[in-house]
Amino acid sequence: EADIYQTPRYLVIGTGKKITLECSQTMGHDKMYWYQQDPGMELHLIHYSYGVNSTEKGDLSSESTVSRIRTEHFPLTLESARPSHTSQYLCASSVAGNTIYFGEGSWLTVV
Amino acid sequence: QQQVKQSPQSLIVQKGGISIINCAYENTAFDYFPWYQQFPGKGPALLIAIRPDVSEKKEGRFTISFNKSAKQFSLHIMDSQPGDSATYFCAARHMNRDDKIIFGKGTRLHILP
């Protein structure tokens, strides 16, 4: 079982608020990812990181930002949340790109 | 341009039947083809994977069939059970880009009890 943790699991927040979704992994993986997914739907890569101080935009444009100051930590931030940001956000990590391990997801609802 | 095409989008199978999900790709530089299983409220988890040097891989009731010349691969679930009801994603990895895996759009599988 993968050791990748996301907090909070569920968040309801008002429009305009700043939010940070936390993601931590204890496997020492260099590569980490953020995916956005509506329930049961397609996985959209929004950010990824090769390692510390490395971040790249994914295939789906996102207003969120990420940082990678420590290998094990890859937080995602929305400076000003909007209802269109309502979705599930999945953090993941991998080593050598073979198997991607996903966290259980953070469900964000912006009202 | 979708690099990995998955079908069907949804599938209903009777308990005990065979569930079949198909995927096709264009890029011959893909060298690793995993399948992920996702239950509601959970993140996807690796189910089974195959490399293009073999035509079939079986793990329990789950089998991947791989056709390199047709650039197609499929997941077969034998003796399907209600507990198999989930969303399934096929995926592919580029041999020179091991940092990203390309996912199909997913198939929602429902097994009738």
Side-chain angles (χ1 to χ4, degrees):
Chain A
E1 191 166 311
D3 295 323
I4 183 162
Y5 307 101
Q6 292 187 239
T7 58
R9 289 292 318 279
Y10 304 94
L11 179 64
V12 180
I13 199 164
T15 298
K17 298 292 186 182
K18 177 180 178 180
I19 65 111
T20 296
L21 304 179
E22 302 287 349
C23 177
S24 295
Q25 50 97 2
T26 59
M27 298 172 284
H29 289 170
D30 286 334
K31 298 177 177 66
M32 295 190 74
Y33 314 83
W34 277 103
Y35 288 84
Q36 185 175 344
Q37 182 188 36
D38 291 327
M41 301 297 285
E42 188 176 358
L43 294 160
H44 295 286
L45 180 66
I46 53 175
H47 298 284
Y48 63 100
S49 167
Y50 295 115
V52 172
N53 295 324
S54 154
T55 61
E56 301 284 345
K57 293 282 190 182
D59 304 318
L60 180 69
S61 176
S62 174
E63 294 169 345
S64 59
T65 59
V66 292
S67 62
R68 190 89 182 275
I69 298 173
R70 303 198 313 267
T71 297
E72 64 272 20
H73 196 214
F74 192 41
L76 180 146
T77 298
L78 274 167
E79 290 292 334
S80 180
R82 294 206 301 269
S84 61
H85 296 138
T86 295
S87 189
Q88 179 182 212
Y89 294 85
L90 289 159
C91 181
S93 70
S94 75
V95 58
N98 279 342
T99 300
I100 291 184
Y101 296 93
F102 286 87
E104 294 203 317
S106 291
W107 290 87
L108 173 65
T109 301
V110 184
V111 297
Chain B
Q1 180 185 0
Q2 190 182 357
Q3 298 192 52
V4 178
K5 295 183 179 179
Q6 183 172 347
S7 63
Q9 188 174 10
S10 62
L11 180 62
I12 300 174
V13 176
Q14 290 281 353
K15 178 182 176 182
I18 302 174
S19 304
I20 302 175
I21 303 171
N22 300 300
C23 284
Y25 64 98
E26 289 296 325
N27 194 333
T28 55
F30 289 148
D31 69 343
Y32 175 71
F33 301 89
W35 284 88
Y36 283 78
Q37 179 188 55
Q38 183 181 27
F39 292 108
K42 301 290 187 181
L46 178 68
L47 180 64
I48 187 172
I50 197 168
R51 297 191 184 276
D53 53 347
V54 297
S55 61
E56 184 175 285
K57 183 173 181 179
K58 184 176 181 179
E59 291 185 2
R61 295 184 295 108
F62 300 90
T63 300
I64 300 178
S65 297
F66 189 86
N67 186 329
K68 188 173 182 178
S69 60
K71 290 185 284 187
Q72 295 175 347
F73 58 110
S74 60
L75 175 70
H76 296 236
I77 306 175
M78 312 300 288
D79 186 26
S80 299
Q81 300 296 311
D84 297 330
S85 297
T87 299
Y88 293 81
F89 294 93
C90 64
R93 185 196 69 178
H94 192 287
M95 65 174 65
N96 295 322
R97 290 295 309 274
D98 68 355
D99 54 305
K100 287 199 295 182
I101 287 182
I102 311 299
F103 286 93
K105 290 191 174 184
T107 296
R108 294 190 195 182
L109 174 64
H110 182 66
I111 307 300
L112 297 173

